[in-house]
Amino acid sequence: NAGVMQNPRHLVRRRGQEARLRCSPMKGHSHVYWYRQLPEEGLKFMVYLQKENIIDESGMPKERFSAEFPKEGPSILRIQQVVRGDSAAYFCASSPGDYSNQPQHFGDGTRLSIL
Amino acid sequence: GDSVTQMEGPVTLSEEAFLTINCTYTATGYPSLFWYVQYPGEGLQLLLKATKADDKGSNKGFEATYRKETTSFHLEKGSVQVSDSAVYFCALSDLSTGNQFYFGTGTSLTVIP
């Protein structure tokens, strides 16, 4: 399967712990996007990354949240000291990044539950 | 800035009814437009796209026409099925703003037998 791979599919954390969500883009894609979807709500943009660069993080909360897309390996969305309000589905998408207006391809998401 | 405005839901239709979900956009350049569908518990899947004015995207009986004059990209289907029950997202990509994508808030559709 050459699609966008996210893991884990489900993640349970206690308040105060750290959550690390991973995303491997489609083969040949160099741009990664992270979104958050709260229950019964739409998709909220969080951050847009290229390899080793954050292009747009205007949707990221100012504290506790960080994202990276290293030269090697998957993109990581990291949430420190999680709180109940962080419970949501987190989706990753990727695109070729060749400025051809190709659609984003989505992973199946990570469902984060905070106890 | 760029944005997408979608018809609010939820929408409930009987099987074989006609579906329209409205979508309008604001863009600084010449965007490409997309419709995505999300089934329960899954990620978003591309349903159809159009890359320039007057293009019609179509897939699985769904259609949408890129209307530059009305800045719209309404989704239509002539006869919906129960299996079409999902959340539908309108989106745009505008090269003038880099490779950023803008999504609507989503419209939930439930089709009842």
Side-chain angles (χ1 to χ4, degrees):
Chain A
N1 185 348
V4 177
M5 302 301 293
Q6 286 188 252
N7 67 83
R9 286 297 306 275
H10 301 275
L11 181 62
V12 179
R13 286 287 179 266
R14 296 188 181 279
R15 280 178 292 172
Q17 291 184 321
E18 178 180 286
R20 292 171 69 88
L21 287 62
R22 285 176 288 279
C23 169
S24 296
M26 276 185 73
K27 189 175 181 181
H29 286 192
S30 59
H31 290 206
V32 165
Y33 309 76
W34 284 94
Y35 297 86
R36 177 164 63 177
Q37 187 175 40
L38 292 167
E40 307 302 321
E41 293 190 15
L43 217 56
K44 303 291 185 187
F45 166 77
M46 299 182 74
V47 63
Y48 163 28
L49 310 105
Q50 297 176 20
K51 286 282 188 182
E52 300 184 282
N53 282 310
I54 296 175
I55 305 304
D56 181 350
E57 57 181 347
S58 58
M60 287 278 270
K62 293 290 185 284
E63 297 177 348
R64 302 187 298 108
F65 285 72
S66 62
E68 63 176 8
F69 188 17
K71 187 176 180 181
E72 301 292 336
S75 175
I76 306 287
L77 179 67
R78 183 181 177 205
I79 311 172
Q80 295 179 291
Q81 299 175 324
V82 296
V83 301
R84 286 260 170 86
D86 297 332
S87 295
Y90 292 83
F91 290 96
C92 170
S94 71
S95 70
D98 57 2
Y99 298 96
S100 61
N101 266 340
Q102 292 299 307
Q104 291 186 350
H105 294 263
F106 281 78
D108 286 336
T110 293
R111 278 135 187 95
L112 175 64
S113 298
I114 309 302
L115 301 179
Chain B
D2 291 13
S3 66
V4 174
T5 301
Q6 235 180 287
M7 166 179 153
E8 289 196 18
V11 174
T12 302
L13 294 173
S14 297
E15 208 166 18
E16 299 184 2
F18 184 85
L19 168 71
T20 300
I21 300 178
N22 290 340
C23 171
T24 57
Y25 67 89
T26 303
T28 52
Y30 300 94
S32 290
L33 302 173
F34 309 91
W35 276 100
Y36 284 82
V37 58
Q38 183 182 31
Y39 298 102
E42 299 183 12
L44 277 70
Q45 302 172 25
L46 180 67
L47 181 60
L48 53 83
K49 70 174 184 178
T51 57
K52 61 183 187 299
D54 299 326
D55 269 3
K56 177 186 281 188
S58 61
N59 185 26
K60 299 181 182 179
F62 291 89
E63 293 183 339
T65 301
Y66 188 143
R67 302 278 188 209
K68 189 178 177 185
E69 63 275 14
T70 54
T71 61
S72 65
F73 193 54
H74 304 322
L75 182 68
E76 297 182 335
K77 186 174 185 182
S79 176
V80 293
Q81 305 300 312
V82 172
S83 57
D84 294 327
S85 298
V87 181
Y88 292 83
F89 292 89
C90 184
L92 75 80
S93 171
D94 184 351
L95 286 180
S96 69
T97 58
N99 252 28
Q100 182 55 285
F101 279 72
Y102 302 87
F103 283 85
T105 53
T107 301
S108 175
L109 169 67
T110 300
V111 180
I112 54 178

